[in-house]
Amino acid sequence: MSVRRLVVMMAKAHLCSTLFLWHYLSTLFAAGELLSKTLKGRPIFEADDQSALVYLLVTKTEEWADKVFLENSYYLHGYWAILVDKYEEMMEKHHPGLGDHRWPFVTHFVGCKPCSKAGDYSVQRCLTQMERAFNFGDNQILEIYGFKHRSLGTKKVKRVRNDTSDPLQLKAELRQASSKGSRSS
């Protein structure tokens, strides 16, 4: 195969992939506009799975309502812009596993687009708050071993307890005690 033919083939492949990507993105944004027109309060951005599900439930209730269970007795996730400034208060007053607004299962960073310039929030704000959210979750694991982050804004950790020289053994003992307690209740 000649170099010229190879270059032409590569150019055609690049053009095809570019056209496919353009078509895909334009369809995604067009669908997002439709969702935003239908769902009151939804900002205009590309289509997403959650909005699509709500759209189906709103526009085709009879077809879909009986086939979908919407969990509403447990706080599965929270919008990051509401939660991130309350983490310290949550840690002071509450604990994991409450299942409501006092301790989110997931912090959802909708509107943050750190890899593009089209986000609703600055890249720096998103990245800073993502690190705080990560450290908030990380503390829940570190606590088992007697550590926690010095603050949610840093990777540095400090020892908060010195229960054992073998934290994995302590974890096993805690698990065993917990299962005995739940059997006796």
Side-chain angles (χ1 to χ4, degrees):
M1 178 182 305
S2 72
V3 172
R4 178 185 153 107
R5 184 170 175 172
L6 181 62
V7 168
V8 168
M9 286 175 55
M10 289 174 63
K12 285 181 180 178
H14 177 71
L15 178 61
C16 287
S17 63
T18 302
L19 288 174
F20 172 79
L21 183 61
W22 177 83
H23 176 71
Y24 172 77
L25 290 175
S26 64
T27 302
L28 202 59
F29 278 98
E33 287 178 5
L34 172 69
L35 294 171
S36 295
K37 285 179 189 173
T38 307
L39 305 175
K40 185 179 178 182
R42 181 187 187 275
I44 297 176
F45 59 91
E46 70 271 12
D48 63 283
D49 56 343
Q50 294 171 354
S51 296
L53 176 60
V54 171
Y55 175 83
L56 284 175
L57 291 172
V58 167
T59 61
K60 300 185 184 243
T61 305
E62 298 218 359
E63 184 178 344
W64 289 103
D66 292 341
K67 299 173 185 172
V68 175
F69 173 74
L70 292 178
E71 175 61 63
N72 64 358
S73 62
Y74 196 88
Y75 197 66
L76 296 175
H77 68 85
Y79 177 48
W80 73 276
I82 295 169
L83 293 175
V84 294
D85 294 325
K86 298 178 183 177
Y87 283 150
E88 286 81 4
E89 179 185 342
M90 289 177 195
M91 293 183 325
E92 186 179 309
K93 295 181 178 180
H94 309 295
H95 59 83
L98 294 169
D100 61 19
H101 68 282
R102 296 172 289 184
W103 205 276
F105 182 67
V106 171
T107 300
H108 187 18
F109 279 85
V110 69
C112 276
K113 306 223 186 291
C115 297
S116 76
K117 295 183 181 184
D120 299 330
Y121 302 94
S122 75
V123 171
Q124 187 58 46
R125 175 156 161 75
C126 289
L127 293 177
T128 298
Q129 298 306 336
M130 285 178 182
E131 181 176 14
R132 284 176 42 80
F134 176 82
N135 292 341
F136 176 75
D138 199 30
N139 274 349
Q140 295 169 53
I141 303 302
L142 290 171
E143 176 66 26
I144 295 168
Y145 303 105
F147 295 91
K148 76 175 194 176
H149 287 272
R150 292 186 185 276
S151 78
L152 295 179
T154 181
K155 295 180 266 189
K156 294 179 181 177
V157 297
K158 65 181 180 180
R159 182 176 284 280
V160 292
R161 278 190 336 272
N162 194 5
D163 298 340
T164 180
S165 60
D166 186 0
L168 294 177
Q169 179 60 34
L170 176 65
K171 183 178 176 187
E173 289 171 12
L174 290 172
R175 185 179 291 134
Q176 202 171 32
S178 172
S179 66
K180 283 180 184 175
S182 64
R183 278 189 248 142
S184 63
S185 320

